[in-house]
Amino acid sequence: MAMVDDREQEQRRQLNKGFGASLNNAFEIAVVPVIFAGFGWLVDLVLHTSPVFAAIFGVLGLIGTFAKLYYGYSCTMSELEEAGPWRRASGNAPVSAEVSGPVSAQRTAS
């Protein structure tokens, strides 16, 4: 019974961690470009220009945010692929090369 509770707690922990990461990403996508556009607006006020810097800084903030999310996702997926059960050991043989059941019988028969 305790093993099931531990497993459920771990699953809840992982689920909550995923929700937290998603909320963090949504917050970054929404707020960072606005902050950058605000700095651009201040530059526009100081230089007495049209809202060119606000637009440029806002777009740069958006591009930077998406680049951060993309590279963070790529890094996380690479780490998960390396730690996955499908990872190969030395050489080309799978880590678990032993196959049992009807599939192995079919392989040996052919």
Side-chain angles (χ1 to χ4, degrees):
M1 188 71 166
M3 184 66 124
V4 174
D5 291 337
D6 291 342
R7 193 176 329 154
E8 287 178 10
Q9 284 181 347
E10 181 61 30
Q11 288 174 349
R12 281 192 189 141
R13 226 177 273 129
Q14 291 296 325
L15 182 65
N16 289 337
K17 186 177 177 182
F19 285 146
S22 298
L23 183 62
N24 181 38
N25 292 342
F27 187 79
E28 285 180 1
I29 290 170
V31 173
V32 169
V34 172
I35 291 173
F36 272 65
F39 284 130
W41 179 70
L42 290 175
V43 171
D44 284 328
L45 284 178
V46 170
L47 298 178
H48 303 290
T49 60
S50 62
V52 172
F53 286 104
I56 291 172
F57 284 15
V59 169
L60 288 177
L62 191 64
I63 291 171
T65 300
F66 279 110
K68 175 195 173 282
L69 293 174
Y70 173 77
Y71 288 116
Y73 175 79
S74 295
C75 181
T76 301
M77 290 298 108
S78 295
E79 290 173 0
L80 289 174
E81 285 179 13
E82 287 295 318
W86 51 85
R87 195 181 104 224
R88 303 209 181 247
S90 60
N92 290 331
V95 173
S96 176
E98 187 175 309
V99 178
S100 61
V103 176
S104 66
Q106 290 174 356
R107 286 186 184 170
T108 56
S110 44

